[in-house]
């Protein structure tokens, strides 16, 4: 959730820029193209850094995610597979 402000007793939200989104993809993946568009939009609006990793360039990623891509990670934790829900991603980043 957030911290309680000592000034007014209200909950404050975590700074979205403290988060990081990772999108795990592979070349030629139409779902990856759609996921990238959502990640780019939400992260740009919130000022959150993001990176994209290609499973064909990393054996460990390939072994773990080859049948799940695209995979979205928020702060290193799996957030979603196959599709990126814009509102769900936004809510995770605004916490």
């Amino acid at each position: 959730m957030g911290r309680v402000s000592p000034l007014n007793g209200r909950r404050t939200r975590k700074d979205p820029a403290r988060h990081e989104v990772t999108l795990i993809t592979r070349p030629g993946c139409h779902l990856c193209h759609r996921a990238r568009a959502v990640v780019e939009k939400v992260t740009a609006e919130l000022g959150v850094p993001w990176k994209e990793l290609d499973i064909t360039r990393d054996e460990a990623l390939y072994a773990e995610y080859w049948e799940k891509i695209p995979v979205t990670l928020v702060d290193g934790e799996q957030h979603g597979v196959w599709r990126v829900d814009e509102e769900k991603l936004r809510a995770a980043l605004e916490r």
Side-chain angles (χ1 to χ4, degrees):
M1 191 161 225
R3 297 185 330 237
V4 174
S5 169
L7 299 176
N8 62 17
R10 294 184 186 163
R11 290 221 173 262
T12 59
R13 289 186 169 175
K14 185 176 180 182
D15 178 10
R18 290 184 169 175
H19 292 290
E20 181 179 71
V21 175
T22 304
L23 181 62
I24 302 171
T25 64
R26 72 172 166 82
C29 167
H30 71 281
L31 291 177
C32 299
H33 179 73
R34 291 179 187 165
R36 184 181 305 110
V38 174
V39 168
E40 286 177 339
K41 176 183 178 187
V42 173
T43 57
E45 288 173 2
L46 298 177
V48 175
W50 77 282
K51 63 184 175 185
E52 185 171 346
L53 301 176
D54 178 349
I55 65 164
T56 65
R57 296 178 182 244
D58 185 311
E59 289 182 29
L61 287 177
Y62 186 86
E64 186 167 353
Y65 296 116
W66 71 273
E67 63 184 9
K68 298 178 183 178
I69 60 161
V71 176
T72 309
L73 308 177
V74 174
D75 302 329
E77 298 291 324
Q78 186 172 312
H79 176 74
V81 297
W82 299 308
R83 302 200 190 289
V84 179
D85 180 292
E86 182 177 338
E87 294 309 313
K88 182 179 173 189
L89 179 59
R90 185 180 309 282
L93 297 174
E94 290 180 333
R95 281 190 229 149

